[in-house]
């Protein structure tokens, strides 16, 4: 029995070593590379960091809602279910946002986990002013085939025009922020905040997969996905 308890503790330690925030440094996974290329190929859109935050699912057997009762506290399962939130930062004209995927990790062995994607959505949407600085009235216009010099007028209205655009962008940002505040919530089981989220059906292609952790320490994590694709992460917190 003591040996079994030692094995359970090792299993728990191995899976809990994944808990934390990680940044993707390298991958050869075709589906991930294809998604990043699609984003970067979209005019005006740029893909930023891809991070993954892993936490223990806050749920116990005696309280399915995840609220712990001190009088009914039970021993945590030896192979805890983890929740991973994978986030891709995206910037576009006037907008910065993060696309996220939420998955559950259930461990068959200390290193091998089955992943189940449960949600996908957007968060941290904000409007950013990337256009007002480029507002510049023309210094000349063609009227009936004749070029008319408008440089003096352009100079006098340039600043008011930029200010008008800046105010419009700020008003749009306020509207988006109010909408985000109204929509934003938190998943009671994971504690992760979300802006807009949609459930991913279990039958959806790719909703189920396997992940093998081949190496993990305090700073680095190496994992392999189905098909042998490699993921290299560095810990950021």
């Amino acid at each position: 029995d003591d040996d079994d308890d030692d094995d359970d503790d090792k299993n728990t330690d191995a899976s809990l070593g994944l808990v934390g925030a990680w940044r993707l440094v390298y991958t050869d996974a075709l589906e991930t590379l294809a998604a990043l290329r699609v984003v970067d190929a979209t005019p005006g859109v740029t893909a930023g960091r891809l991070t993954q935050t892993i936490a223990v699912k806050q749920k116990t057997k005696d309280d399915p809602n995840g609220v712990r009762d001190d009088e009914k506290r039970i021993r945590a399962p030896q192979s805890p279910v983890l929740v991973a939130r994978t986030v891709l930062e995206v910037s576009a004209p006037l907008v910065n946002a993060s696309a996220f995927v939420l998955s559950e990790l259930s461990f068959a062995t200390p290193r091998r986990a089955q992943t189940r994607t449960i949600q996908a959505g957007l968060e941290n949407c904000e409007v950013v002013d990337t256009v007002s600085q480029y507002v510049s009235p023309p210094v000349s216009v063609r009227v009936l085939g004749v070029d008319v010099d408008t440089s003096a007028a352009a100079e006098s209205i340039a600043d008011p025009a930029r200010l008008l655009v800046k105010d419009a962008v700020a008003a749009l940002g306020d509207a988006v922020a109010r909408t985000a505040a109204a929509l934003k919530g938190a998943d009671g089981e994971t504690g992760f905040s979300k802006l807009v989220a949609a459930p991913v059906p279990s039958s959806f292609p790719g909703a189920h997969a396997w992940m093998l952790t081949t190496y993990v320490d305090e700073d680095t994590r190496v994992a392999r996905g189905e098909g042998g694709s490699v993921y290299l992460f560095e810990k950021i917190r």
Side-chain angles (χ1 to χ4, degrees), residues 52-72:
Q52 189 176 69
T53 302
I54 300 178
V56 177
K57 185 176 181 181
Q58 298 299 310
K59 190 174 182 180
T60 60
K61 292 180 180 179
D62 61 338
D63 187 350
N65 294 321
V67 179
R68 297 178 182 275
D69 186 336
D70 289 338
E71 295 182 359
K72 298 180 180 179

Side-chain angles (χ1 to χ4, degrees), residues 123-124 179-186 193-196:
E123 63 182 3
N124 300 329
T179 303
L183 293 176
K184 194 169 186 178
S193 63
K194 58 183 182 293
L195 174 62
V196 178

